[in-house]
Amino acid sequence: MDIFNESKPLNALLVGVQLPKVSDQETEGSLAELARLVTTLGYNVVGQTSQKRSSQRGATVLGDGKLKDVATWTGGTGVVGPMVVKKKHKAALRFKNNEDEEDDIEFDEDFEFEEPTEPEEWEKTAPPQAKAQIVIFDCDLSPSQLRNLESALGVPVLDRTGVIIEIFSRHARTKAARLQVEIARLTYVAPRLRETSGGEDRQGGGIGGKGAGETSIELDRRKIRDRVKELKKELADIAQEQDLRRARRGQEISVALVGYTNAGKSSLMRALTGSEVLVADKLFATLDTTVRMLYPESRPKILISDTVGFIKKLPHDLVASFKSTLDEALSASLLLYVVDSSDPTFHSQLAVTRSVLAEVGAGEIESLLVLNKVDRLNPEELENLKNEFPEAVFMSSLNPEDVASLRLHLIKHFENAMVDQDLFIPYDVQGAIGEIRGKIRVLGESYDNRGVTLKVRAHMEDIARIRTRYGI
């Protein structure tokens, strides 16, 4: 069954595992976020449950009692069956009708037997109103855990990483994003490949056909490794082109919008630049970096870039794959941390954003906190946030006055590092006036019989560059 291409939405049950140092509120918030991810994929969430566990290393993650409880939602047995049935020799098959003969059964070599632990902490969930056709865990599952759970529950099982990768694969538009997603997907899939019924057969190997050769699963994994190597080379070529484009923009002021997914970055991007950027109330609605000029256009020009949103428990493979996308933040003059102030968990979301950016080396770049969606707050909540974050910008990207105020704030921020100087350009110097007007803010101008004097406001290095280029 293709769980991602069903014509009718599947019913999904969400399962969380609460570790000792995780609070009830954090567990509930993580499950709520998983519900939004699952809904983005088009599933119907019919229920959710969680269990307190000392670790996630068990063969089925859950305890035996909780596993049987979850199986009531799916119609499964709640018991892990044998993973591999050992083939019999022909001599043994002759006696297969003998009632006393017992099948030789052995478990998958990856099967993990759980050590005895303290009594389980779990509460039996309410009887299901609808059967679940897929179970999704709010944690990462090993290949053996996935197999064990599917055996016990009788339905497909996904983990959080699998859900996020599928969303990324659907929303990637540019070639670079598609390559990044495919690398992450193959890296995720490789250890989870299953042997087919004929998986024990081996390809002929060695010189002259001797030797064990490769099993079909080993061959598939080698093909995946080769494919990932090709994709990384192709992505490196694209990254080189992107680096050249960034180098050409290197002398221009740039602002990168960063933050949690669905915090309103795309709406703010659209409002600041007047561009037709996709805006949708979905997680990861946009994955591709977009760069536009601040509108109305300023002097010097300010470039605004919208980057991929972050999320809790973002898979490290995806962070690594999207490093070229996040490089836009690395080269920015200023980072705007966009936060949904109406979300009660925005403090932890902001911490996730800072953590991921620090991981890619952008933690030390100058930043400005933007608390978005203040139109959803009551006066008391807004006042409390202003006391907590006195240096932040409070706004709604849907309010034109707030957007105009942020635009002026950005211009003034960069002008604080600028100086005012007079530039005299003789009439016989060609091209200087046009370049100055195009790249530098002109405050005033005067003329005499020798040339034009422009009063400008700019960074010292920009003024020095103009003077050197035109000898003025």
Side-chain angles (χ1 to χ4, degrees):
M1 177 173 62
D2 189 344
I3 58 177
F4 294 123
N5 294 296
E6 290 287 312
S7 57
K8 184 179 178 181
L10 296 178
N11 291 335
L13 173 68
L14 311 184
V15 180
V17 178
Q18 184 176 353
L19 298 177
K21 295 183 180 180
V22 180
S23 67
D24 293 345
Q25 183 180 10
E26 288 174 319
T27 300
E28 291 171 4
S30 186
L31 278 171
E33 185 174 83
L34 180 64
R36 295 197 65 195
L37 289 167
V38 169
T39 302
T40 299
L41 281 183
Y43 295 148
N44 295 322
V45 178
V46 295
Q48 65 181 49
T49 185
S50 63
Q51 183 183 27
K52 293 181 179 179
R53 301 288 287 169
S54 59
S55 75
Q56 298 174 354
R57 295 183 179 180
T60 60
V61 183
L62 304 174
D64 293 341
K66 189 63 176 178
L67 185 62
K68 290 178 181 177
D69 184 23
V70 173
T72 62
W73 288 78
T74 63
T77 63
V79 178
V80 179
M83 297 293 111
V84 178
V85 178
K86 188 176 179 180
K87 290 185 176 181
K88 297 185 187 336
H89 295 291
K90 292 181 180 180
L93 292 175
R94 297 195 189 105
F95 301 97
K96 66 179 179 179
N97 294 326
N98 188 332
E99 293 182 354
D100 295 331
E101 182 183 12
E102 296 180 356
D103 289 338
D104 294 325
I105 298 175
E106 61 181 25
F107 284 96
D108 181 8
E109 60 184 4
D110 289 335
F111 190 85
E112 300 174 19
F113 290 97
E114 189 171 4
E115 295 293 331
T117 59
E118 64 278 1
E120 295 177 28
E121 292 187 40
W122 65 282
E123 296 179 1
K124 189 172 178 62
T125 53
Q129 302 297 317
K131 287 292 184 183
Q133 297 156 303
I134 183 171
V135 177
I136 301 175
F137 278 72
D138 190 30
C139 60
D140 285 339
L141 300 174
S142 70
S144 62
Q145 286 174 332
L146 280 170
R147 290 194 293 268
N148 296 339
L149 287 167
E150 290 184 350
S151 171
L153 301 178
V155 296
V157 175
L158 275 180
D159 60 10
R160 186 184 182 94
T161 298
V163 171
I164 294 174
I165 288 177
E166 177 60 23
I167 293 175
F168 271 48
S169 67
R170 292 186 184 185
H171 292 175
R173 294 291 179 268
T174 64
K175 185 175 182 181
R178 289 196 296 269
L179 290 172
Q180 290 163 339
V181 168
E182 188 174 355
I183 290 171
R185 185 181 62 81
L186 290 175
T187 303
Y188 172 78
V189 165
R192 292 166 174 80
L193 289 177
R194 316 283 178 87
E195 283 281 16
T196 61
S197 58
E200 292 186 353
D201 295 334
R202 294 180 176 266
Q203 306 291 326
I207 299 175
K210 294 183 180 181
E214 293 178 310
T215 62
S216 60
I217 195 169
E218 289 169 344
L219 186 62
D220 290 340
R221 285 174 177 163
R222 183 163 59 81
K223 288 179 179 178
I224 287 178
R225 288 195 298 270
D226 292 343
R227 176 60 178 159
V228 168
K229 187 176 180 180
E230 293 175 4
L231 292 171
K232 286 184 176 180
K233 184 178 183 305
E234 196 171 349
L235 185 60
D237 293 338
I238 294 177
Q240 191 173 10
E241 295 175 8
Q242 292 174 335
D243 289 342
L244 290 174
R245 286 197 293 271
R246 289 193 191 96
R248 286 195 291 268
R249 299 197 306 262
Q251 298 175 359
E252 298 177 324
I253 299 171
S254 62
V255 176
L257 306 182
V258 296
Y260 215 69
T261 183
N262 215 45
K265 297 190 305 300
S266 295
S267 296
L268 184 56
M269 174 79 172
R270 189 171 189 170
L272 285 172
T273 64
S275 58
E276 295 300 315
V277 177
L278 174 64
V279 177
D281 187 19
K282 292 181 179 180
L283 301 184
F284 301 116
T286 53
L287 291 180
D288 307 306
T289 299
T290 306
V291 181
R292 298 286 186 273
M293 276 194 299
L294 182 68
Y295 180 84
E297 193 172 328
S298 62
R299 290 291 182 273
K301 294 185 293 185
I302 298 177
L303 300 178
I304 310 292
S305 61
D306 183 17
T307 60
V308 63
F310 304 123
I311 195 170
K312 290 178 184 175
K313 305 177 187 176
L314 188 66
H316 286 285
D317 289 333
L318 282 179
V319 174
S321 295
F322 276 81
K323 188 179 184 303
S324 62
T325 303
L326 297 175
D327 279 346
E328 201 67 48
L330 278 170
S331 61
S333 310
L334 177 70
L335 299 180
L336 286 192
Y337 283 87
V338 184
V339 174
D340 178 0
S341 61
S342 66
D343 192 320
T345 64
F346 83 81
H347 291 84
S348 63
Q349 294 178 359
L350 181 59
V352 169
T353 302
R354 295 188 190 279
S355 173
V356 175
L357 286 171
E359 191 174 334
V360 298
E364 300 301 320
I365 297 176
E366 191 174 5
S367 63
L368 175 66
L369 179 61
V370 176
L371 291 175
N372 193 23
K373 304 185 183 182
V374 295
D375 51 319
R376 300 182 181 181
L377 301 176
N378 61 45
E380 182 181 355
E381 291 172 329
L382 181 57
E383 187 62 29
N384 289 337
L385 286 179
K386 286 184 176 180
N387 291 331
E388 184 179 0
F389 301 102
E391 302 298 323
V393 173
F394 294 83
M395 65 172 298
S396 167
S397 57
L398 303 179
N399 187 334
E401 293 181 0
D402 289 350
V403 175
S405 176
L406 177 60
R407 177 183 178 276
L408 290 176
H409 189 105
L410 293 175
I411 293 173
K412 289 179 180 178
H413 171 83
F414 291 113
E415 285 188 348
N416 286 336
M418 296 179 185
V419 297
D420 294 351
Q421 280 200 7
D422 291 337
L423 289 177
F424 175 72
I425 301 98
Y427 288 127
D428 59 350
V429 175
Q430 302 296 317
I433 295 178
E435 182 171 348
I436 292 171
R437 292 187 187 278
K439 295 183 177 180
I440 294 177
R441 183 176 179 184
V442 177
L443 303 177
E445 54 189 83
S446 60
Y447 300 83
D448 60 25
N449 58 352
R450 296 180 301 117
V452 182
T453 300
L454 299 179
K455 186 175 184 62
V456 301
R457 178 172 295 166
H459 291 101
M460 279 300 300
E461 56 267 26
D462 292 332
I463 294 175
R465 190 180 303 112
I466 292 290
R467 290 186 184 279
T468 300
R469 179 175 299 177
Y470 296 99
I472 56 178

